[in-house]
Amino acid sequence: MRKDVEELSRRLGDVRIHTGAQYRYSYNFDATGRRGECLGVVFPEGLDPLVRIVREAGRVGLPVFMRGAGTGFSGGSVPVGGGLVVSTEKMRRVLDFNRTASTVEVEAGIVNKELQDYLYPHGFFYPPDPASLKVSTIGGNIAENAGGPRAYKYGVTRRYVLSLTWITIAGEVIESPFEGVAALLTGAEGTLGVIYSARLDIRPLPEVAVTSVVQAGNGPDAMERAAELLSSGFCPTVLEFIDSRTMACVSEYMQANEFDTGDSFLFFEVDGPRDEVATQQEILESYCRENGLGIVKAGDETERETLWELRRAISPSLARKGITKVNEDVSLPLGSLADAVSFINDRASQLDLDCYVFGHCGDGNLHVNIMTDRRKTEEMRRSMIFVRDLFEEVVRLGGTLSGEHGIGITKNRYLDILFSGGELELQKNLKRCFDPEEYLNPGKYFSGIVSSGSGRS
Ligand SMILES: Cc1cc2nc3c(=O)[nH]c(=O)nc-3n(C[C@H](O)[C@H](O)[C@H](O)COP(=O)(O)OP(=O)(O)OC[C@H]3O[C@@H](n4cnc5c(N)ncnc54)[C@H](O)[C@@H]3O)c2cc1C
């Protein structure tokens, strides 16, 4: 055991640090597959042990890496450079449910789906629904400002955080309303403070939901159709884009050949009161009739679930196309999506890369995936050229580097494409206010800000 871990263990007394090889190995990576060095893992069960761990680790000078379920796609929880992993697995209680105020307070480690299952019998739901909701935690969702298919109508995590109880690196417990520091912690990827619990806004369950899949031509055409529909007053809950290559892959995986037509698809859901949903659905269906677009509408709950299974099968089906996924999630204004998709297709084909595009396009969010193999160094080199070109084009089109997966260790070297030098310096100063010694999640977002001279001019 390293001396600083030994010292921390002595100070923590009955809070056990697990340093066995199985722990250090299992907690040193996330969904990116990138690994750091986990010196030990702790599983606090409540506020008091969590406060002691954070405070004493800070005093000993041991970096702290908060970890929910490790489903992050930007390496946010990876213990870069070595440190203590603090898992929230054993902090998943519902602390309060207030029906009249439509709020719930939960510990950070509760899994999103556990919260949904708790709320359902009470007639409520929590709108942010990342595709990882069966495993990812509310703490991780807040730290990444997670989005999901329902984001077009309901917005992303930020909209639902009412207040956070969090711990500074000095071990002080603060309850911040969203109008204060909680807004900064939401999306800060665990770099500014440790979230213990969150009070969240929740919504009554909608009366009905109708799901449809529309055959929408090539990628840029599909984006133009989506923009046309939205500007005609159509207000879906879900508006997802699945390009033809991704759909072919999913169709093969799910043995759903009727969707392997060489077209891109738009995936819609409308929800709300029955008459409102009927009106919205009619706007969609008449648009499809007028434009000769094929539409498959789920007639009942079973068919609706089948269509959602198709959507959820994207990630596992792509996994069969390559052992390494270069996984980017850019975000753009709706009006720029068609140009972005054309650029992505052209550039991937020029660089001879196997590229798949899908995402929550209603929210401007596109997932761009290159399926490759990290052992093929020449192909990886071309993939990295693609990624920088993609980010430069996205920023030129008015977009940003990440829609929902965060910056972490995968995108911190590209911050200079988006931000000016002055802005980056201000951000670095903000980090210094919260965590002067850089003990909280070091090696991530802020380590991408290398000098005051970096950044866009
Ligand atoms: C198949 C798949 C589908 C996905 N789909 C989506 C999607 O639709 N939308 C989306 O937004 N994301 C998606 N993701 C990415 C990922 O699930 C989200 O980023 C999620 O919010 C991470 O939650 P987690 O509990 O796994 O957090 P982790 O990966 O463990 O950690 C993520 C970040 O949160 C920080 N953190 C965790 N807990 C705390 C805490 N208590 N206090 C302070 N910081 C903390 C960590 O330090 C890290 O920086 C997907 C991932 C997978 C694998």
Side-chain angles (χ1 to χ4, degrees), residues 148-207:
R150 289 195 288 238
Y152 180 70
K153 176 170 173 182
Y154 292 106
V156 299
T157 300
R158 177 171 288 278
R159 197 188 282 181
Y160 297 90
V161 176
L162 297 173
S163 67
L164 295 177
T165 299
W166 64 284
I167 304 157
T168 67
I169 191 63
E172 192 186 347
V173 180
I174 300 182
E175 193 183 336
S176 302
F178 191 76
E179 293 74 13
V181 169
L184 282 177
L185 295 186
T186 306
E189 304 179 14
T191 58
L192 301 181
V194 169
I195 300 164
Y196 164 65
S197 68
R199 181 168 290 280
L200 304 167
D201 198 6
I202 50 175
R203 297 289 152 91
L205 284 165
E207 193 182 348

Side-chain angles (χ1 to χ4, degrees), residues 31 66-73 76-77 88 108 130-132 136-137 139-141 143-144 146-148 189-190 193-195 315 360 404-405 441:
M66 291 306 295
R67 181 185 169 99
T71 66
F73 269 148
S77 64
T88 58
S132 58
S136 66
T137 64
N141 291 174
E144 297 288 350
E189 304 179 14
V194 169
I195 300 164
S315 283
H360 321 306
E404 57 186 22
H405 292 166
N441 210 359

Side-chain angles (χ1 to χ4, degrees), residues 63-194:
V64 168
F65 297 88
M66 291 306 295
R67 181 185 169 99
T71 66
F73 269 148
S74 56
S77 64
V78 176
V80 174
L84 181 75
V85 172
V86 180
S87 167
T88 58
E89 271 165 80
K90 293 193 175 161
M91 297 193 318
R92 48 217 287 175
R93 285 178 302 161
V94 174
L95 301 172
D96 181 49
F97 167 65
N98 187 329
R99 172 182 291 281
T100 326
S102 299
T103 62
V104 66
E105 185 175 6
V106 293
E107 288 187 319
I110 191 169
V111 168
N112 183 310
K113 176 74 165 56
E114 284 172 349
L115 173 59
Q116 309 289 0
D117 289 346
Y118 172 88
L119 294 173
Y120 188 83
H122 294 287
F124 283 88
F125 75 113
Y126 172 64
D129 61 338
S132 58
L133 91 173
K134 287 186 183 164
V135 270
S136 66
T137 64
I138 292 297
N141 291 174
I142 293 172
E144 297 288 350
N145 189 25
R150 289 195 288 238
Y152 180 70
K153 176 170 173 182
Y154 292 106
V156 299
T157 300
R158 177 171 288 278
R159 197 188 282 181
Y160 297 90
V161 176
L162 297 173
S163 67
L164 295 177
T165 299
W166 64 284
I167 304 157
T168 67
I169 191 63
E172 192 186 347
V173 180
I174 300 182
E175 193 183 336
S176 302
F178 191 76
E179 293 74 13
V181 169
L184 282 177
L185 295 186
T186 306
E189 304 179 14
T191 58
L192 301 181
V194 169

